[in-house]
Amino acid sequence: MHPAAERLRQRLKEIDIAAPAVPVIHNYHVRRETTADGIREALVRQVESPVRWVETVKKLEADGATRIIECGPGRVLAGLNKRIVASAETGAIADPKSIAEALAR
């Protein structure tokens, strides 16, 4: 994956990155990045680093998240999230109907 990470590093140099409007936890080091350079580096390192999903979901809980929604087809992560943080409401959105239902809650 190293060649892919290096190609991504080069492409990210060409892209303007602003601080996110909502907190984003990068799953390679389970921390937030708020600077453009920090975000770029986290994205590159995620390509070739193990996903620390359990730690990431526990960090969400520690930061006060009570609802964790998986975006995309399937429900694998929603199921994992429920086992990791049983107290959190979990779900998945993958189409306009499920998005509307999630927003209505």
Side-chain angles (χ1 to χ4, degrees):
M1 294 303 293
H2 185 72
E6 289 307 311
R7 284 194 308 272
L8 178 62
R9 181 183 308 281
Q10 295 309 311
R11 292 301 304 260
L12 288 173
K13 287 179 182 179
E14 304 167 9
I15 297 172
D16 290 331
I17 295 178
V22 296
V24 175
I25 299 171
H26 297 272
N27 60 32
Y28 103 89
H29 63 12
V30 193
R31 292 193 321 253
R32 294 183 177 121
E33 295 292 345
T34 57
T35 67
D37 287 341
I39 292 167
R40 282 185 187 95
E41 186 62 23
L43 290 170
V44 168
R45 295 185 120 206
Q46 281 183 198
V47 170
E48 55 186 352
S49 300
V51 173
R52 296 168 60 185
W53 192 254
V54 172
E55 294 167 86
T56 300
V57 173
K58 287 183 177 182
K59 172 73 171 145
L60 290 170
E61 177 188 34
D63 287 354
T66 58
R67 190 174 189 204
I68 304 171
I69 305 298
E70 175 180 1
C71 300
R75 299 186 53 84
V76 172
L77 295 179
L80 288 173
N81 296 342
K82 188 62 175 173
R83 287 192 291 278
I84 296 166
V85 181
S87 62
E89 178 185 348
T90 60
I93 57 175
D95 55 35
K97 180 182 177 193
S98 60
I99 293 170
E101 289 171 356
L103 290 173
R105 292 184 174 177

